[in-house]
Amino acid sequence: MKKILIARYGEIGLKGHNKSYFVNKLLGHIRGNLKDLGKMSVQHVGGLVFVDIDNYDEEDVIERVKKVFGIVSVSPTYKIQKDMENIYEGALVHIQERMEEEDIKTFKVEARRGDKSFPFTSPELCREIGGFILSHTQNLKVDVHNPEMTLYVDIRDKAYIYSKKIPAYGGLPLGTNGKAMVLLSGGIDSPVAAWMMAKRGMDIEAVHYHSYPFTSERAKEKVIDLAKILCQYCGNIKLHCVNLLPIQKEINEKCPEEEMTILSRRFMMKIAQKIALQREANALITGESIGQVASQTIQGLTVTNHAVDLPVFRPLIALDKVDIMDIAKKIDTFETSIRPHEDCCTVFLPKRPVTKPRLERILSSESNLEVEKLIDEAVESMEVIEISIEEE
Amino acid sequence: MEVYLDNSATTKPNEAVVQIIIRSLTKYYGNPSSLHHKGVEVERMIKDARKKISKALGVYDQEIIFTSGGTESNNMAIQGALKHRRGKKIITTKVEHPSVLSVYEDLENKGYHVVYIDVDSFGRINVEQFKQNLSEDIALVSMMHVNNEVGTIQPIEEIGKILNKMQQKPIFHVDAIQSFGKIKFTPKKLGVDLLSISGHKIHGPKGIGALYIRKNIKISPIFYGGNQETGIRSGTENVPGILGLGEAATVLYDMDEKISVLQSLKDRFIKGIKNEIKEIKINGYEKEGSAPHIANISFLGVRGEVLLHSLEQDGIYVSTGSACSSKKSSKSHVLKAMNLGEAEIEGAIRFSFSYHNTIEEIDYAVEKIKKHVKELRKIIKR
């Protein structure tokens, strides 16, 4: 009996003649996530992906494959010869394994005969296998309506037996929808936003703003740690670290105090766009959610949005904070995000930030500054860090 | 130019310390409990190190137990002593190190009654209040000698005398982590039963400390094992640490000289700051009553952490509050206990000196501080 992992994809299956492009991307990413475990066989067979896991740590492989966008679920599976003797044995072994893990009292068998030359029909298979299990186990009953466990038996080129369908994240394979530059702070929101867009197939690069020495070096370490977590889903990430302090000093000196945040935000967008264009990215991503803070009112968002021409994706726009936190916990960025280090937004925080900025007024304040020059200087002095998954 | 003015957080190990640690890892790597020569040789070296610390501290060799550092020494003293006492009352102060305060938190949950004595605006404890809280059911009195954030010296000797007059004398523990090597004292003269020291505050290695346990005072181990250190502190001896600590202690034999170097550096620094920068406040005592190696100064209108990072760009390393609490973005409990205002707490920086610092470094630091404070005050108009 061979142990394999079956991975299912969702939306990709609906693609027409482009399907092979998506599937190849998907296989590439699965292989990439498994690369440092050794050379593993990853194959696309009849609309499913089969990963050989015989000599590997099953939990680890599952975690890695689950993180490949495009996959909707995975099942650890026995792959066996398709004769009844082997099928009986495989079914029994599998069910006994599950019974050791948890207290299972009821089950049913769901068989599917893909190979129509197989001598038993699907209902016959269910009956035969179910009967065999009943006569070889104790305290186990069949319940066809609400079983605690469903044993799937799939007859294809071989027989495949599994009982768990572990949900993955869905979405589309990375790189099938271009590339975007995310404005990555150290907070809870922006990593979630990046993750959501990556899930829709976008490659990710990031720009981080700090105000060193007004912010701590540890704030940068935190962002690097967050990017490393994202790497597990998004592949390697180029992180551009830009010091916003010279710009903030200029704004502080030449513009009204209450406009500090909104003007800084506009600069962040413009700098991000400049880097995005250099890096051939097609869009920006922010973690903005409407109404969350003073700069994320509709007026605030309008003024920020006006600063750039590239499309700006704000996948969190309609999410409540608790929903965002739930996702952050699910993807494992939450604990890192709540480490207490100030990002650059809080240093110059005005006492009463303007919540309903008017574009004309902001533009007129901005005209006191040498915008292009400041942006160029910021981009020239930025630091670029290549983030990749740490090898264990 | 690198100017390290964070010597209360940790100190740079002396060269001789580094050398003996290397030798203990390359040549003298035996287990002191082994029966063969390699063990005996190391056992002898540990004995020698113990002697050096005893000498620097003015106590008997048998009164020194090696620990993993200040935190363990404090834990062992407090928890180990309480196991031998029936009383459930403890007296301490509001300005103790966080490592001690969290022990009390735990003890309070276990039913102990802990009294925290107030301090005045200089950070010195209220002795009258201390006296008023005395009663026969006190199991333990524990306080720090020199405060790690502001350098204020507590009247330990006075407290020791008060306790000595009591019929049922409680155990008296002193956290001397910041005072050892900076102030001249002996545990005996202070009237102390237990006293904690740490290696890395005196140019020794991290991960090593000691607890002085006065003869005839019984304390119980707080964890169990192979009965090393006369059964009080089990675990294979941290030989590199112990030898390093011993080596660091030898420098303190002529402590007067080191202290006078520290005092002159601090005096010059404070004088420089006072002359050059307006709107500052020296927290704690300026000279008398304060340790010679710590100056805590508030720069009003400036945020301590921002000044810290600005100074770092010029190679000057300092602390805000204490290094331990600056990780959490909470306000210093010591400065709060001293009743300082918001702005004074926010703008507080701790400068801590070592006998390795030079006059040139001090002057350079003053000049840079002046420059940065001026710039920062200009930026933050509020």
Side-chain angles (χ1 to χ4, degrees):
Chain A
M1 272 192 300
K2 228 170 127 86
K3 197 85 184 267
I4 63 163
L5 188 72
I6 292 181
R8 300 173 193 83
Y9 49 76
E11 245 180 284
I12 299 173
L14 304 175
K15 303 287 171 196
H17 56 273
N18 280 334
K19 185 176 159 183
S20 65
Y21 166 73
F22 285 90
V23 169
N24 285 334
K25 281 270 185 192
L26 183 77
L27 295 178
H29 293 313
I30 296 175
R31 291 193 183 106
N33 273 16
L34 297 172
K35 195 169 61 188
D36 55 321
L37 294 181
K39 220 173 155 56
M40 299 172 70
S41 153
V42 177
Q43 280 170 332
H44 183 238
V45 182
L48 294 174
V49 179
F50 291 170
V51 182
D52 241 335
I53 52 173
D54 243 341
N55 300 311
Y56 300 94
D57 175 356
E58 185 178 317
E59 301 284 312
D60 187 23
V61 176
I62 290 174
E63 274 314 302
R64 286 162 182 260
V65 174
K66 254 173 74 177
K67 285 176 178 161
V68 175
F69 292 133
I71 291 182
V72 292
S73 70
V74 296
S75 298
T77 304
Y78 280 118
K79 179 179 175 185
I80 48 191
Q81 294 300 325
K82 47 178 178 179
D83 56 68
M84 284 313 276
E85 206 171 307
N86 274 305
I87 292 172
Y88 285 145
E89 191 204 335
L92 189 62
V93 168
H94 187 85
I95 214 160
Q96 279 166 344
E97 274 177 7
R98 285 295 306 272
M99 285 170 77
E100 266 172 42
E101 281 171 25
E102 54 202 293
D103 184 26
I104 293 171
K105 292 195 189 65
T106 57
F107 79 106
K108 76 166 177 182
V109 178
E110 220 177 281
R112 251 208 337 231
R113 190 178 56 151
D115 170 12
K116 299 296 179 199
S117 69
F118 195 72
F120 292 84
T121 65
S122 302
E124 281 168 352
L125 268 171
C126 294
R127 230 174 14 246
E128 292 297 320
I129 298 168
F132 182 84
I133 290 171
L134 280 177
S135 62
H136 287 80
T137 52
Q138 278 159 354
N139 310 325
L140 206 56
K141 282 186 197 145
V142 170
D143 179 346
V144 288
H145 301 297
N146 273 313
E148 285 166 351
M149 167 186 160
T150 303
L151 186 79
Y152 298 92
V153 179
D154 227 348
I155 309 291
R156 297 163 164 253
D157 57 325
K158 297 270 173 35
Y160 296 90
I161 298 180
Y162 58 90
S163 62
K164 280 187 199 166
K165 278 188 182 175
I166 303 163
Y169 299 108
L172 293 169
L174 285 175
T176 55
N177 269 317
K179 178 158 83 178
M181 185 69 63
V182 60
L183 281 73
L184 194 63
S185 71
I188 295 169
D189 301 344
S190 53
V192 173
W195 182 86
M196 286 176 77
M197 292 316 299
K199 187 158 92 71
R200 292 305 301 164
M202 298 203 85
D203 275 329
I204 299 292
E205 290 197 16
V207 51
H208 171 65
Y209 298 98
H210 60 86
S211 311
Y212 189 81
F214 277 41
T215 51
S216 146
E217 223 177 300
R218 289 201 173 87
K220 193 172 88 189
E221 288 302 311
K222 179 176 161 185
V223 171
I224 291 175
D225 288 347
L226 282 171
K228 271 187 184 150
I229 299 171
L230 287 176
C231 275
Q232 298 173 17
Y233 304 93
C234 310
N236 296 354
I237 293 176
K238 218 184 243 304
L239 176 66
H240 307 78
C241 295
V242 178
N243 193 342
L244 207 62
L245 186 59
I247 292 174
Q248 288 171 315
K249 280 183 179 172
E250 281 289 300
I251 300 175
N252 188 60
E253 204 170 300
K254 296 180 181 155
C255 305
E257 185 208 347
E258 67 273 15
E259 291 174 7
M260 182 74 204
T261 313
I262 196 83
L263 285 165
S264 303
R265 290 292 302 174
R266 281 178 58 87
F267 270 97
M268 292 186 203
M269 297 297 276
K270 286 181 188 214
I271 293 168
Q273 172 168 271
K274 187 168 173 104
I275 303 169
L277 292 173
Q278 283 176 5
R279 296 289 313 151
E280 294 179 350
N282 322 81
L284 302 180
I285 302 171
T286 73
E288 287 159 319
S289 166
I290 195 158
Q292 198 187 86
V293 292
S295 64
Q296 294 174 21
T297 57
I298 181 60
Q299 294 85 351
L301 289 169
T302 306
V303 172
T304 322
N305 202 56
H306 183 268
V308 290
D309 303 317
L310 278 182
V312 181
F313 295 139
R314 300 180 175 86
L316 312 184
I317 198 72
L319 293 190
D320 291 355
K321 192 78 187 182
V322 285
D323 301 329
I324 300 170
M325 281 160 60
D326 283 345
I327 302 177
K329 284 173 191 162
K330 189 173 78 177
I331 66 173
D332 213 21
T333 53
F334 186 75
E335 288 301 319
T336 306
S337 284
I338 58 174
R339 263 162 35 193
H341 297 297
E342 286 182 40
D343 56 28
C344 60
C345 305
T346 56
V347 173
F348 285 101
L349 213 58
K351 284 195 190 96
R352 296 179 60 87
V354 49
T355 53
K356 290 180 183 168
R358 282 193 11 242
L359 185 58
E360 314 84 75
R361 281 192 53 176
I362 299 297
L363 289 178
S364 108
S365 301
E366 209 173 72
S367 66
N368 297 333
L369 307 166
E370 291 179 273
V371 177
E372 288 310 316
K373 182 168 155 271
L374 287 168
I375 291 174
D376 287 345
E377 283 168 359
V379 173
E380 268 160 39
S381 61
M382 78 185 172
E383 179 194 6
V384 182
I385 307 171
E386 303 280 347
I387 313 278
S388 57
I389 302 175
E390 269 172 307
E391 272 155 41
E392 285 170 36
Chain B
M1 193 166 181
E2 181 177 307
V3 183
Y4 185 74
L5 299 181
D6 202 12
N7 289 282
S8 285
T10 196
T11 54
K12 182 180 175 190
N14 287 334
E15 187 50 33
V17 171
V18 174
Q19 287 311 319
I20 193 134
I21 290 173
I22 292 174
R23 280 204 300 284
S24 82
L25 292 169
T26 51
K27 190 157 181 234
Y28 305 107
Y29 55 83
N31 185 329
S33 299
S34 291
L35 296 177
H36 49 67
H37 172 68
K38 275 209 110 37
V40 177
E41 165 183 271
V42 173
E43 191 185 18
R44 201 179 298 135
M45 293 174 86
I46 289 184
K47 208 167 150 190
D48 188 42
R50 202 184 304 273
K51 204 166 249 147
K52 288 173 180 162
I53 293 149
S54 313
K55 188 174 168 192
L57 207 51
V59 301
Y60 298 112
D61 300 0
Q62 313 89 279
E63 295 176 314
I64 294 293
I65 293 292
F66 290 115
T67 67
S68 66
T71 296
E72 189 191 331
S73 293
N74 287 336
N75 268 272
M76 185 190 277
I78 297 166
Q79 299 186 51
L82 288 175
K83 285 192 187 179
H84 274 275
R85 290 277 166 153
R86 248 183 254 137
K88 290 275 179 197
K89 189 171 163 192
I90 301 165
I91 301 187
T92 185
T93 78
K94 281 201 172 146
V95 293
E96 297 302 302
H97 190 267
S99 74
V100 176
L101 290 174
S102 24
V103 181
Y104 294 135
E105 234 170 79
D106 182 51
L107 288 170
E108 280 175 327
N109 290 334
K110 289 178 179 155
Y112 280 89
H113 172 48
V114 184
V115 179
Y116 300 90
I117 302 296
D118 292 321
V119 296
D120 62 17
S121 59
F122 292 99
R124 192 175 190 271
I125 60 158
N126 182 335
V127 178
E128 280 313 305
Q129 188 192 8
F130 176 80
K131 282 186 193 162
Q132 283 156 20
N133 273 287
L134 285 178
S135 56
E136 294 297 313
D137 61 338
I138 296 169
L140 174 78
V141 172
S142 171
M143 59 181 70
M144 56 179 18
H145 193 185
V146 162
N147 183 271
N148 56 313
E149 292 191 32
V150 291
T152 299
I153 304 170
Q154 300 301 352
I156 300 295
E157 201 174 336
E158 193 181 343
I159 300 292
K161 281 182 182 145
I162 296 169
L163 295 177
N164 266 331
K165 285 182 200 141
M166 292 176 70
Q167 278 195 338
Q168 274 283 43
K169 189 181 169 265
I171 300 250
F172 186 23
H173 166 247
V174 165
D175 168 354
I177 290 158
Q178 289 292 346
S179 63
F180 181 45
K182 316 293 172 10
I183 290 180
K184 240 183 154 175
F185 68 87
T186 66
K188 196 169 256 175
K189 187 150 181 281
L190 295 178
V192 167
D193 300 317
L194 305 168
L195 183 131
S196 310
I197 63 168
S198 163
H200 73 108
K201 310 285 191 196
I202 57 163
H203 299 280
K206 295 170 186 67
I208 189 74
L211 180 66
Y212 156 81
I213 306 176
R214 189 166 65 81
K215 249 188 192 170
N216 301 326
I217 293 290
K218 287 254 172 306
I219 74 163
S220 292
I222 52 175
F223 56 80
Y224 302 90
N227 285 336
Q228 287 87 347
E229 299 288 291
T230 63
I232 292 173
R233 208 286 185 171
S234 287
T236 300
E237 292 85 346
N238 170 5
V239 180
I242 291 171
L243 302 188
L245 173 57
E247 194 55 46
T250 60
V251 180
L252 302 175
Y253 293 167
D254 55 354
M255 212 179 282
D256 289 331
E257 188 207 316
K258 303 284 180 254
I259 292 172
S260 79
V261 169
L262 288 173
Q263 192 66 58
S264 66
L265 291 172
K266 178 176 166 179
D267 290 348
R268 190 180 180 94
F269 179 76
I270 289 188
K271 197 176 154 206
I273 296 285
K274 279 166 91 175
N275 284 344
E276 299 291 337
I277 307 172
K278 283 190 197 118
E279 291 184 73
I280 58 144
K281 180 175 176 297
I282 314 280
N283 299 315
Y285 298 103
E286 232 176 276
K287 193 160 181 173
E288 293 299 315
S290 178
H293 67 302
I294 298 178
N296 189 308
I297 303 175
S298 295
F299 299 88
L300 303 180
V302 174
R303 282 204 1 211
E305 196 183 329
V306 174
L307 181 54
L308 176 149
H309 290 309
S310 306
L311 290 172
E312 154 177 54
Q313 291 184 313
D314 285 322
I316 300 167
Y317 298 98
V318 300
S319 260
T320 56
S322 75
C324 300
S325 54
S326 66
K327 273 183 200 159
K328 306 170 235 152
S329 31
S330 63
K331 293 199 175 109
S332 152
H333 69 286
V334 175
L335 300 182
K336 264 195 254 177
M338 288 163 63
N339 242 328
L340 263 59
E342 285 285 296
E344 289 166 342
I345 295 179
E346 274 213 343
I349 294 263
R350 179 188 68 183
F351 305 91
S352 47
F353 310 101
S354 139
Y355 52 76
H356 290 314
N357 289 125
T358 62
I359 287 176
E360 291 71 42
E361 287 175 359
I362 295 296
D363 292 349
Y364 171 81
V366 169
E367 179 203 319
K368 293 296 176 190
I369 294 164
K370 179 186 173 189
K371 182 189 115 191
H372 286 297
V373 168
K374 196 175 164 193
E375 270 175 25
L376 293 175
R377 279 183 177 157
K378 207 176 95 188
I379 294 170
I380 303 173
K381 296 167 279 191
R382 295 169 278 143

